[in-house]
């Protein structure tokens, strides 16, 4: 199935969405400590995220949210415990993850690249070493830009975009790799408050229409609580894991 | 005043273009232009990735380290380009190992290698007979010292560099733009960064005879910075930087011939003029 067929068929066939959420990420007794840290950043974390779920990871600074995302993406090797993704081997697992790293704001300020060039880089994991990107990769990138509503932006420079537009481009880059899991680390840091709502609507739409599993780290508790269906509150260990409604009613004032 | 310049002044500059075919009759000028073309292409080709990865100071450090290789090559009568390349590659590996094992900052590791290699170079040159003049050619660039063997080494290593960059283009783009994403995608980012530094060491070894060790950082960095002012896409930025680099190298070689000045200085002055022009055009 080519890229265009893959994305459009997932948009059209909403019945594709699994109601029962078959396991997509399974974490067992995961612990991790940075070499200079006095205590474990992650302490015996166990959880299962189902296919098509929209999960928000909340918690204080230093609570291990980003570290947990990095462990899922393979950027951090856990000291103990295991992570299983809904794919057999590590290589194919990585091809199923679309990752939007934490934005540093200034890091892309002077990079001379167009939106299409940036989105095309999301195809690298699919293509493999030494193999040049081709027409199929370009088509997948254009499809991804269409999904995030930036199909007219292909030739614009990434440096000329607003924070919100740039984050949409990074989501398109993740989508170009045709992932089943979309992982975002504090994606709204550089986005003004007006654009945030639109951004979260886009994520909700991707989760609903493409049946993407969305795992999101955010400090924006109130907005995220209105979007995600499940919240995991992490402060080195899991303090809350449940439906958003329960968290907003019982825990938000306690933890915010 | 040089004889060539006197001739030019007597002809009131109008016949300068007539002299250009004439200079290609000289073997050393043919070699300078062939080597210069290769250098002008490969320098911004590695430079664009180094600048985007915030490694803009790496070429200067590796260039100083290469000087120790040149000095050892001259002392033992080995090809100085190959000894410089060997020392630069070994230093790249050692700098990374020192940084990892001791946990010291990258800048501190670079400083140790920079001063250490200059110490080796000065001692090696003092042990040999009349090596200082040859060494000066490497420091500031000289078109008359390029041998036929040098041209072959530059051509072969130049082709290896271009092929490597083209083959790894999409990976180098990704590790330059977003290293975290590259790692999460399963790319061997550390090995790719080492390949980039190895290619930088190669370019330095190729360019040092024409541009000079003390000046070649400019050829790697300035054409890229100048072409970035045009606000083009990534591939066009690379192409424009190569064009600007070629203009500067050809212009510098011609100035060096006609005015009898070191080619490295002439090339870098033209590069600076190109850079200032790019800022003015942008405004």
């Amino acid at each position: 199935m080519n890229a265009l067929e893959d994305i459009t068929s997932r948009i059209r066939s909403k019945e594709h969405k699994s109601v029962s959420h078959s396991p997509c990420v399974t974490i067992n007794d995961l612990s991790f400590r940075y070499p200079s840290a006095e205590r474990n950043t992650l302490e015996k974390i166990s959880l299962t995220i189902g296919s098509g779920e929209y999960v928000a990871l909340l918690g204080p600074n230093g609570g291990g949210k980003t570290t947990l995302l990095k462990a899922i993406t393979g950027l951090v090797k856990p000291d103990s415990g295991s992570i299983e993704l809904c794919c057999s081997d590590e290589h194919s697992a990585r091809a199923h993850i679309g990752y939007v790293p934490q934005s540093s704001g200034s890091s892309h300020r002077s990079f001379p690249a167009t939106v299409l060039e940036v989105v095309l880089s999301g195809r690298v994991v699919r293509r493999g070493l030494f193999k040049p990107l081709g027409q199929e990769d370009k088509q997948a990138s254009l499809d991804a830009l269409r999904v995030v509503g930036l199909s007219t932006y292909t030739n614009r420079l990434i440096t000329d975009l607003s924070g919100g537009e740039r984050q949409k481009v990074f989501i398109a880059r993740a989508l170009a790799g045709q992932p089943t899991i979309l992982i975002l680390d504090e994606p709204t840091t550089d986005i003004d408050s007006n654009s945030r709502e639109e951004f979260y609507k886009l994520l909700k739409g991707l989760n609903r229409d493409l049946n993407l599993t969305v795992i999101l780290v955010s400090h924006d508790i109130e907005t995220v609580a209105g979007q995600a269906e499940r919240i995991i509150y992490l402060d080195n260990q899991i303090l809350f894991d449940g439906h958003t409604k329960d968290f907003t009613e019982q825990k938000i004032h306690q933890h915010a | 005043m040089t004889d060539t310049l006197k001739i030019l002044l007597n002809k009131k500059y109008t016949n300068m273009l007539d002299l250009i075919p004439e200079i290609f009759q000289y073997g050393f000028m043919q070699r300078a232009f062939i080597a210069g073309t290769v250098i002008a292409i490969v320098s911004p080709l590695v430079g664009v990735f180094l600048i985007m990865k915030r490694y803009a100071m790496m070429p200067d450090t590796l260039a100083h380290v290469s000087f120790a290789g040149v000095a050892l090559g001259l002392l033992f009568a080995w090809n100085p380009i190959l000894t410089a390349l060997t020392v630069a590659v070994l230093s790249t590996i050692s700098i990374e190992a020192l940084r990892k094992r001791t946990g010291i900052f990258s800048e501190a590791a670079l400083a140790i290698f920079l001063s250490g290699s200059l110490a080796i170079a000065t001692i090696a040159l003092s042990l040999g007979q009349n090596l200082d003049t040859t060494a000066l050619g490497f420091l500031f660039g000289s078109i008359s010292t390029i041998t036929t063997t040098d041209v072959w080494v530059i051509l072969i290593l130049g082709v290896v560099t271009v092929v490597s960059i083209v083959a790894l283009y999409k990976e180098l783009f990704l590790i330059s733009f977003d290293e975290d994403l590259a790692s999460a995608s399963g790319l061997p980012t550390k090995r790719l960064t080492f390949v980039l530094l190895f290619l930088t060491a190669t370019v330095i070894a190729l360019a040092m005879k024409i541009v000079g060790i003390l000046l070649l950082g400019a050829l790697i960095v300035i054409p890229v910075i100048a072409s970035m002012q045009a606000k083009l896409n990534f591939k066009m930025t690379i192409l424009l930087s190569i064009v600007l680099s070629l203009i500067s190298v050809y212009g510098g070689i011609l100035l060096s011939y006609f005015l009898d000045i070191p080619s490295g200085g002439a090339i870098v002055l033209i590069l600076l003029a190109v850079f200032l022009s790019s800022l003015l055009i942008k405004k």
Side-chain angles (χ1 to χ4, degrees), chain A residues 73 75 94 99 101 107-108 110-114 117-118 121 125 127-131 133 157 160 170 173, chain B residues 52 54 167-171 173-174 176-178 180-181 183-187 228 231-235 237:
Chain A
T73 56
L75 287 170
R94 285 189 167 185
Y99 181 45
S107 62
H108 309 111
S110 59
F111 204 102
T114 60
E117 285 177 316
V118 172
S121 69
V125 65
R127 198 48 60 204
L129 276 175
F130 302 114
K131 292 172 187 163
L133 299 172
L157 290 176
D160 292 345
F170 295 152
R173 177 180 63 180
Chain B
M52 295 310 148
R54 309 289 194 274
L168 291 170
Y169 172 81
K170 70 181 194 305
E171 288 82 6
F173 178 93
L174 188 53
S176 305
F177 188 81
D178 197 331
D180 264 359
L181 180 69
S183 298
S185 303
L187 287 185
M228 281 168 67
K231 301 202 82 171
L232 301 167
N233 68 36
F234 197 68
K235 282 182 179 168
T237 300

Side-chain angles (χ1 to χ4, degrees), chain A residues 138-151:
Chain A
K138 187 178 178 184
Q139 190 57 55
S141 302
L142 293 173
D143 292 341
L145 278 169
R146 186 167 55 77
V147 168
V148 300
L150 295 181
S151 52

Side-chain angles (χ1 to χ4, degrees), chain A residues 87-107:
Chain A
C87 332
S88 53
D89 62 280
E90 190 189 359
H91 178 75
S92 66
R94 285 189 167 185
H96 283 267
I97 293 177
Y99 181 45
V100 181
Q102 193 169 6
S103 170
S104 58
S106 63
S107 62

